């Protein structure tokens, strides 16, 4: 066993923070650790702190907590830092989208080909990306040997930016690879009998290996498509792993897009709501339509209401949440019901990779993860140094990336990953050099842009939003990061 200090930045996100607390309580090798919960929202911070302490007490785990609104306090002498903060919150994302749509950009200027996820902002998200860099540079002073587990979006731009602006050890995390499990379950297979591998960029990963008991699993997928794809219907806006869009991408690129990747196709699937419904299913048209995202926001509010109820009613035992959920008020999201089953179990883990990753490093327990790390020939068609999402075994010596075999198809690399990488490079060029012209050029290449003046106008109005004063100064004065 080894105790460490783990700082959770943006800990006011109660559901995610409690998933981490759940895993820590049930990972005996990290007993005695200190968890520093940090958020600038005092009410949310107090609520998570209270829930975490109640849960640890009920479970009889050996963990200590501190709460702080001071980033430096959280980072001081930390061994691991988990950054999950969303600077400006969802209010900022929606305000930028509102301005963008007024200027003719359906679903916002950050909704781009191969990057349609509704909170994965890359060119209007100065405050978020700058915060990533600020955290990393503070870590260089306060905990230079610590690992930064980058969780907040945009993970692809964020991990690349952090690596170029600091010397901190950074690794990106996402759970999109669990799309493999969804696909396998839909095909009626046992995941334990499947040899699978994914590779690409964050939110841009592809199933390069799919072997079932020594046989080509893609043949089984082809049979499912032929017999069952016409009956497919989404259970939620996020249920897209075998959507018409995913199947169409598979047929074109030669490998199946996994997790969030089906959301990140070309404009073919995303021109408007009716097109989205065709490719992502009725009634929502996927998670990133106006209907799908409204569903998600309603779910967030219902989750917040449920968390607040738990915080106020301290008589409710968190280890008996299953009982509580049976009596829960209408509107509690299904996700929270599933979470309740995890919390109510004495040993069930959340599925997030963070805590087991830490345990593998600290206690030298080899485990397989899918993580975002710098390319070192892992995907030879892509430049070294660019952060890729790949499977790796992690132990006390760090990560050991698997040989990506068979390789990604030429179409995946040339037609999908390279254009996505170019957009990342433009976003990083803009922010690192304070160059507004790059932001405008980014939009000039957008099919929704009808004139240079349109691109300039939307950028200027976003920069004039309250809270974007530093963004405006950064680009007007061409300040380098």
């Amino acid at each position: 066993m080894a105790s460490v200090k783990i700082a959770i930045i943006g800990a006011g996100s109660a559901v995610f923070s409690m998933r981490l607390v759940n895993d820590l309580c049930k990972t005996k090798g990290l007993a005695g650790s200190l968890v520093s919960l940090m958020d600038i929202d005092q009410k949310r911070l107090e609520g998570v702190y209270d829930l975490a302490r109640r849960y640890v007490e009920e479970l009889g785990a050996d963990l200590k907590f501190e709460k702080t609104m001071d980033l430096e306090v959280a980072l001081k002498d930390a061994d691991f830092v988990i950054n999950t903060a969303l600077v400006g919150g969802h209010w900022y994302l929606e305000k930028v989208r509102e301005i963008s749509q007024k200027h003719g950009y359906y679903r916002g200027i950050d909704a781009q080909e191969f990057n349609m996820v509704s909170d994965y902002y890359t060119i209007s998200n100065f405050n978020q990306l700058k915060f990533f860099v600020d955290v990393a540079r503070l870590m260089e002073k306060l905990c230079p040997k610590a690992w930064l587990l980058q969780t907040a979006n945009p993970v692809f731009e964020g991990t690349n930016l952090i690596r170029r602006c600091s010397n901190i050890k950074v690794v990106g995390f996402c759970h999109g690879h669990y799309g493999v499990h969804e696909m396998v379950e839909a095909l009626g297979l046992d995941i334990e009998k499947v040899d699978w591998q994914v590779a690409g960029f964050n939110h841009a990963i592809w199933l390069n290996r799919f072997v079932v008991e020594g046989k080509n699993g893609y043949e089984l997928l082809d049979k499912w498509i032929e017999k069952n794809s016409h009956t497919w219907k989404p259970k939620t806006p996020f249920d897209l792993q075998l959507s018409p869009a995913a199947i169409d991408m598979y047929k074109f690129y030669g490998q199946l897009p996994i997790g969030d990747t089906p959301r990140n196709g070309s404009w073919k699937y995303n021109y408007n709501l009716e097109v989205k419904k065709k490719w992502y299913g009725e009634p929502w048209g996927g998670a990133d339509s106006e209907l799908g995202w409204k569903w998600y926001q309603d779910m967030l509010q219902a989750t917040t209401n449920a968390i607040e109820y738990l915080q106020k009613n301290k008589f409710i035992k968190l280890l008996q949440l299953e009982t509580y959920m049976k009596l829960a008020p209408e509107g509690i999201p299904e996700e929270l019901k599933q979470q309740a089953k995890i919390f109510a179990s004495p040993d069930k883990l959340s599925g997030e990779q963070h805590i087991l990753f830490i345990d593998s490093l600290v206690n030298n327990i080899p485990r397989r993860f899918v993580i975002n790390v710098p390319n070192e020939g892992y995907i030879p068609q892509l430049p070294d140094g660019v952060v890729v999402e790949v499977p790796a075994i992690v132990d006390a010596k760090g990560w050991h990336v698997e040989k990506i075999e068979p390789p990604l198809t030429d179409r995946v690399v040339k037609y999908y990953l390279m254009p996505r990488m170019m957009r990342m490079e433009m976003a990083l060029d803009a922010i690192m050099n304070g160059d507004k012209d790059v932001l405008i050029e980014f939009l000039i290449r957008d099919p929704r842009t009808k004139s240079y003046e349109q691109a300039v106008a939307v950028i200027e109005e976003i920069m004039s939003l309250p809270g974007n004063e530093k963004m405006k100064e950064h680009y007007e004065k061409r300040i380098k990061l």
Side-chain angles (χ1 to χ4, degrees), residues 188-416:
L189 303 173
D190 181 355
I191 190 67
E192 297 299 324
K193 297 180 180 179
V194 177
D195 177 13
W196 63 270
Q197 199 176 64
V198 294
F201 300 140
N202 180 238
H203 287 193
I205 55 174
W206 300 80
L207 185 66
N208 65 299
R209 187 161 76 227
F210 182 24
V211 179
V212 182
E213 297 185 284
K215 298 180 180 179
N216 183 0
Y218 270 118
E219 293 179 359
L220 299 175
L221 176 60
D222 291 338
K223 290 179 181 178
W224 182 93
I225 293 171
E226 181 181 355
K227 295 181 179 180
N228 303 102
S229 61
H230 67 283
T231 65
W232 175 89
K233 289 184 179 180
K235 296 184 285 292
T236 76
F238 291 84
D239 177 23
L240 302 174
Q241 185 55 73
L242 290 173
S243 63
I247 300 306
D248 191 64
M249 292 171 73
Y250 160 53
K251 290 179 179 178
F252 180 77
Y253 290 102
Q255 289 169 337
L256 186 70
I258 294 296
D260 293 300
T261 314
R263 297 165 66 182
N264 286 326
S266 71
W267 285 106
K268 177 179 181 179
Y269 316 115
N270 294 286
Y271 286 116
N272 53 50
L273 179 58
E274 290 309 308
V275 170
K276 283 177 178 286
K277 286 182 177 180
K278 172 185 175 181
W279 292 105
Y280 295 116
E282 297 276 4
W284 304 285
D288 303 297
S289 73
E290 48 269 54
L291 299 181
W293 202 244
K294 173 65 164 55
W295 180 94
Y296 173 68
Q297 290 175 315
D298 290 345
M299 187 196 75
L300 284 181
Q301 186 57 57
T303 302
T304 299
N305 295 342
I307 292 294
E308 289 179 353
Y309 186 90
L310 292 176
Q311 292 166 350
K312 292 177 182 177
N313 295 276
K314 300 186 188 307
F315 65 89
I316 296 176
K317 296 297 183 182
L318 301 180
L319 282 173
Q320 297 174 356
L321 267 176
E322 280 187 292
T323 301
Y324 161 69
M325 295 310 295
K326 293 177 183 177
L327 305 173
E330 186 177 353
I332 297 298
E334 185 63 30
E335 179 183 344
L336 196 61
K337 294 180 181 180
Q338 295 302 317
Q339 185 67 66
K341 296 179 181 179
I342 295 172
F343 285 156
S345 165
D347 54 13
K348 186 173 291 187
L349 300 180
S350 71
E352 301 292 350
Q353 299 184 98
H354 306 68
I355 302 307
L356 291 181
F357 177 86
I358 293 171
D359 189 39
S360 288
L361 284 172
V362 171
N363 294 308
N364 195 28
I365 303 174
R367 293 187 180 97
R368 190 190 200 216
F369 299 90
V370 177
I371 51 179
N372 292 265
V373 298
N375 192 31
E376 294 182 4
Y378 310 136
I379 304 178
Q381 307 98 312
L382 297 174
D384 280 354
V386 172
V387 175
V388 293
E389 187 162 304
V390 287
I393 301 298
V394 175
D395 58 24
K397 295 181 179 179
W399 60 69
H400 313 279
V401 175
E402 298 174 1
K403 182 178 181 181
I404 305 304
E405 191 174 39
L408 295 169
T409 67
D410 284 347
R411 282 192 174 184
V412 165
V413 173
K414 294 177 180 178
Y415 298 168
Y416 191 99

Side-chain angles (χ1 to χ4, degrees), residues 96 107-112 115 117 120-125 448:
V96 168
R107 301 305 296 154
I109 63 170
D110 293 276
Q112 290 285 333
N115 185 30
V117 172
Y120 211 92
Y121 282 27
T122 60
I123 58 173
S124 68
N125 218 0
R448 298 168 296 179

Side-chain angles (χ1 to χ4, degrees), residues 85-86 93 110 115 119-123 125 128-129 132 150-162 173 202-203 420 424 427-428:
L86 176 58
L93 303 182
D110 293 276
N115 185 30
D119 59 356
Y120 211 92
Y121 282 27
T122 60
I123 58 173
N125 218 0
Q128 177 83 338
L129 290 167
F132 293 173
Q150 182 59 39
T151 305
N153 285 328
V155 170
F156 184 41
E157 277 75 10
T159 48
N160 279 289
L161 180 64
I162 291 165
F173 284 87
N202 180 238
H203 287 193
R420 178 67 184 93
M424 177 275 292
L428 266 55

